Amino acid sequence: MEFIAPAGFTEIPIGMTAEEARQELFTRVSREALEARPAAYGNLVSNLQKVSQALEESGTLYAGTCLRAYEGELSLGTLLVTVTPFAFGDAAIAADGMVRALVAARGDSWAGTVFDTPVGPAAVLTGVNGFHIPAETSASGEELDLPMAEMQVYLPVPEGVEGQEQCLVSFNLTTPCEGHWDAYCSDIVTLLNSLTFDEPDHTLPEASPQPTSPRTPVDSPAKPSPGQTHADGKAPATPFG
């Protein structure tokens, strides 16, 4: 599977060793700054490696974060792309069923719809989740619940594409920046419009499993052209209300 990650997102390598995590930190923060506080640096290396290993174990294909400027303000976002086995019949019925079931389970703070993408129908849900910050890591010394706007996209992948079995590709975008939600919605629309799947290799013996080697090009254009949504050309409303 290939897609163009949104501009400004930096990929987090998946399945890193401790040494790879150390080198990754050096690419993001100056060596002088890190070595000025050895204990904190050691914790960063350990935590980054744990996250990277957990992402690999959960079937993550891509993990990225952004810290970019939006209308003069800093904007923070995260993006996860995962794949899991998923047996379904008709893709449109599966996507519609996911929207109905998940919105009903999560309550009035969530909304959903089915979007048509170039590679098939996808269930798109938006809502707000609370992110708990313990007192020991909070700048104020108090426990905090930070509201995080979230968009989840579930795309059923037919049998024979990307492998022998049917599967589900999931995109999860989160941001605490309420006022920037429209920009993130445009990012997801552009990403979905850039999706392509690996076609099966018909030269392989029928009993042989298809090779799967997801590649995710992250060198996105400096000024990506936002795709159009399938809801009268408007981006989904902010989940913050």
Side-chain angles (χ1 to χ4, degrees), residues 95-178:
D96 183 68
M98 282 186 281
V99 168
R100 294 175 184 272
L102 292 174
V103 170
R106 296 175 183 179
D108 295 338
S109 64
W110 283 78
T113 189
V114 175
F115 278 8
D116 291 324
T117 77
V119 291
V124 180
L125 294 97
T126 58
V128 178
N129 274 324
F131 182 75
H132 181 71
I133 302 176
E136 56 269 23
T137 59
S138 169
S140 65
E142 300 177 352
E143 289 189 359
L144 296 174
D145 281 310
L146 180 66
M148 299 286 286
E150 188 166 351
M151 179 181 292
Q152 299 172 354
V153 180
Y154 301 99
L155 180 65
V157 182
E159 185 176 359
V161 179
E162 291 293 317
Q164 291 286 358
E165 298 181 358
Q166 292 180 330
C167 59
L168 184 71
V169 177
S170 305
F171 301 85
N172 187 279
L173 173 76
T174 58
T175 178
C177 303
E178 173 183 1

Side-chain angles (χ1 to χ4, degrees), residues 45-75:
V45 171
S46 176
N47 290 338
L48 180 59
Q49 188 204 8
K50 289 177 182 176
V51 168
S52 180
Q53 293 288 336
L55 290 171
E56 182 178 47
E57 293 168 5
S58 67
T60 300
L61 296 180
Y62 173 88
T65 60
C66 78
L67 181 59
R68 59 189 181 184
Y70 177 77
E71 295 184 349
E73 298 179 351
L74 286 179
S75 192

Side-chain angles (χ1 to χ4, degrees), residues 15-26 41-50 52-53:
M16 285 188 291
T17 64
E19 180 57 31
E20 289 170 339
R22 184 175 294 107
Q23 294 303 318
E24 180 67 18
L25 276 176
F26 283 145
Y41 167 50
N43 287 335
L44 283 174
V45 171
S46 176
N47 290 338
L48 180 59
Q49 188 204 8
K50 289 177 182 176
S52 180
Q53 293 288 336

